[in-house]
């Protein structure tokens, strides 16, 4: 048995049912959009109705399609890691804008805000994927006991 096959076998063996608990890709997209909302609104103020509509759609989808994932969501929100991610994203957002403003390079252009929006969206997706992976491992370990 090769190393890759052995690792795949242990991942599958240690986490029965964990695959169905993973958050769907669209959830990460919504969260990236919401993390980017400030800069999107600064770049294009007329998009606020679309953002409000997407919040409503996200809430509706989360309450209907993510019922199986409630256990993961509870584990995520109980964990210190998720709160650290949320506070870290807020600190990154405020700190980067304040630091650039102090250096005399405040982001005021549409292109600058779009770059910030893309960066915040990417950072959010990466951190959420890491937090999800950590929470799933913790749930798998809890189930193994």
């Amino acid at each position: 048995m090769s190393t890759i096959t052995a690792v795949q076998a242990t991942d599958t063996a240690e986490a029965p049912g964990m695959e169905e608990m993973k958050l769907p890709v669209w959830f990460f997209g919504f969260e990236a959009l919401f993390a980017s909302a400030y800069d999107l609104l600064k770049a294009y103020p007329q998009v606020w109705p679309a953002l409000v509509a997407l919040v409503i759609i996200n809430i509706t989808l989360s309450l209907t399609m993510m019922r199986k994932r409630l256990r993961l969501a509870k584990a995520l929100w109980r964990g210190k890691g998720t709160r650290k991610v949320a506070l870290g994203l807020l600190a990154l957002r405020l700190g980067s804008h304040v630091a650039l403003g102090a250096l005399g390079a405040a982001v005021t252009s549409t292109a600058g805000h779009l770059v910030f929006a893309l960066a915040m969206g990417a950072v959010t997706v990466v951190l959420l994927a890491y937090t999800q992976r950590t929470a799933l491992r913790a749930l798998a370990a809890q189930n193994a006991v």
Side-chain angles (χ1 to χ4, degrees):
M1 181 184 272
S2 73
T3 306
I4 294 173
T5 309
V7 169
Q8 289 171 343
T10 57
D11 282 349
T12 308
E14 76 180 27
M18 290 296 160
E19 186 66 32
E20 69 186 26
M21 287 181 62
K22 282 187 176 179
L23 296 170
V25 174
W26 58 261
F27 178 81
F28 290 103
F30 274 121
E31 296 306 317
L33 183 68
F34 299 144
S36 304
Y38 173 81
D39 285 300
L40 290 173
L41 287 171
K42 287 291 188 176
Y44 299 106
Q46 64 273 19
V47 302
W48 72 266
L51 288 174
V52 171
L54 287 171
V55 167
I56 293 168
I57 291 168
N58 184 31
I59 291 169
T60 303
L61 289 174
S62 295
L63 292 175
T64 57
M65 297 179 68
M66 291 182 52
R67 285 268 182 225
K68 294 179 185 177
R69 295 165 179 94
L70 286 177
R71 189 169 162 205
L72 174 63
K74 287 178 185 177
L76 284 172
W77 283 110
R78 275 191 220 130
K80 290 181 186 176
T82 305
R83 288 190 292 269
K84 287 180 184 177
V85 166
L87 291 174
L89 286 170
L90 183 62
L92 177 64
R93 155 80 59 224
L94 295 174
S96 58
H97 279 291
V98 168
L100 286 172
L103 294 172
V107 177
T108 56
S109 69
T110 300
H113 282 294
L114 290 177
V115 168
F116 254 93
L118 286 172
M120 288 303 296
V123 169
T124 300
V125 168
V126 168
L127 291 175
L128 281 174
Y130 171 77
T131 305
Q132 173 183 260
R133 193 172 114 208
T134 304
L136 285 172
R137 283 184 180 171
L139 286 173
Q142 183 182 21
N143 286 343
V145 172

